[in-house]
Amino acid sequence: MIKLTCVAVVALAVTACAAPSRFEWGGYEQGLYNYYRNPETSENYIRTLERAIERGDATNRTAPGLNAELGFIHLGRGDSGLAETYFQREIQLFPESETFLSRFVGDSSSAATGDAAIDAETGETS
């Protein structure tokens, strides 16, 4: 009985000390897993990302990369205007992402058609 009590106290202490996540991820991990297993579930994945972003916005804890991820999905579907909106939003929330995302902002229509290529060595777009 004493061992069981000690185990329960230790388990409670460990879980009570765990800090909550700094960011709101929503169902991102499970949604991404489902999407990779079955790409036809892209509509569900889009809704998952949108809900995670909404929940993060409500608490000012939107996770980094969620807006960019949603932007890339829309870019892949040919909706460059909506993609650019999400890219700009990601840059606004996380300015460090501008280095990468600026390659797609303003030129997302050519990126969607495959006209823009990124050189692997220099990182320059062509």
Side-chain angles (χ1 to χ4, degrees), residues 4-108:
L4 182 61
T5 303
C6 288
V7 170
V9 168
V10 169
L12 181 62
V14 169
T15 58
C17 294
S21 175
R22 180 174 176 200
F23 298 107
E24 175 61 56
W25 291 95
Y28 171 73
E29 289 179 2
Q30 186 64 45
L32 180 64
Y33 176 75
N34 293 339
Y35 175 63
Y36 277 132
R37 284 188 58 213
N38 185 6
E40 290 79 32
T41 64
S42 65
E43 290 300 322
N44 291 338
Y45 185 48
I46 288 171
R47 283 192 298 277
T48 297
L49 288 171
E50 289 171 342
R51 282 192 303 266
I53 291 168
E54 287 172 10
R55 287 175 57 184
D57 287 349
T59 59
N60 198 26
R61 293 176 37 220
T62 303
L66 292 184
N67 283 287
E69 176 84 7
L70 195 49
F72 281 114
I73 290 174
H74 287 297
L75 186 63
R77 297 173 133 210
D79 192 345
S80 59
L82 191 53
E84 185 164 342
T85 300
Y86 283 108
F87 293 154
Q88 289 285 6
R89 192 149 189 289
E90 184 74 22
I91 291 169
Q92 179 185 11
L93 292 172
F94 303 99
E96 62 274 16
S97 67
E98 184 174 14
T99 302
F100 177 71
L101 292 177
S102 63
R103 299 173 184 166
F104 302 97
V105 174
D107 194 28
S108 55

